[in-house]
Amino acid sequence: MRLFLALWPDDALRVRLAAAQQAWQWPARAARVPPDRLHLTLHFLGEVPEPEAHELAASLPPCTAPFTLRLDLPSLWPQGIAVLEPGEPPAGLAALHRELGALLRAKGLRVEARAFRPHVTLARYAQGATVPAGLPAIDWAVRGYALVRSHPGTPPRYAPVARA
């Protein structure tokens, strides 16, 4: 199973993220992320054998220290990746990322070596997109996270397997 851990928005937040996405001016080649796939990846796990995936799903710790994540920085990264990121990531997000990384390591699962840069990807191949000025900040009341399965295909489909 191809898996990742993510902050998974509820329907109301997903509408606000989609509205922020629509505020951009996109070049024709931009591949916008469909609203039902908008999320913030905490850890990408890649392929995990099904027994280990089920064991991980059953052992996810709860999010015991809720926090608010303010997405207030629309950015166009190199290679044309358009994102919405926090100007100042909250300590609670870093703590959750560390806690989940420790859990994955303890289970012998893969943890990415690159630094964590929290963001919601809005589009790929977006070179030349116009970043909106004055985009209102989106406050995300984080109370939990999800273990999500990525089903291959074009486009891929995401389905939460477990929530904590």
Side-chain angles (χ1 to χ4, degrees):
M1 300 173 74
R2 186 174 169 89
L3 300 173
F4 60 94
L5 290 165
L7 298 184
W8 199 253
D10 62 20
D11 290 340
L13 182 62
R14 201 171 287 284
V15 166
R16 294 180 64 208
L17 291 169
Q21 183 186 53
Q22 291 169 1
W24 289 62
Q25 290 181 359
W26 301 107
R29 69 186 169 283
R32 285 183 268 177
V33 175
D36 66 333
R37 292 195 349 239
L38 294 169
H39 66 279
L40 189 149
T41 300
L42 295 166
H43 286 280
F44 177 74
L45 306 174
E47 293 295 332
V48 176
E50 199 163 333
E52 285 91 339
H54 291 300
E55 197 271 322
L56 175 62
S59 65
L60 293 175
C63 183
T64 57
F67 57 90
T68 298
L69 171 64
R70 174 165 276 212
L71 297 168
D72 57 355
L73 186 59
S75 302
L76 188 58
W77 289 359
Q79 290 81 41
I81 299 172
V83 302
L84 190 55
E85 57 189 322
E88 209 170 300
L93 178 60
L96 178 61
H97 181 262
R98 276 192 311 274
E99 178 184 1
L100 294 175
L103 171 72
L104 296 173
R105 281 185 203 88
K107 294 191 171 300
L109 295 171
R110 174 181 179 268
V111 176
E112 286 187 294
R114 65 182 170 174
F116 178 51
R117 186 170 180 189
H119 65 279
V120 175
T121 299
L122 301 176
R124 290 181 173 73
Y125 313 110
Q127 295 92 335
T130 302
V131 179
L135 190 65
I138 297 174
D139 288 329
W140 187 340
V142 177
R143 304 289 178 260
Y145 61 95
L147 176 64
V148 182
R149 182 174 185 183
S150 175
H151 296 272
T154 305
R157 228 175 7 96
Y158 298 157
V161 172
R163 295 179 192 263

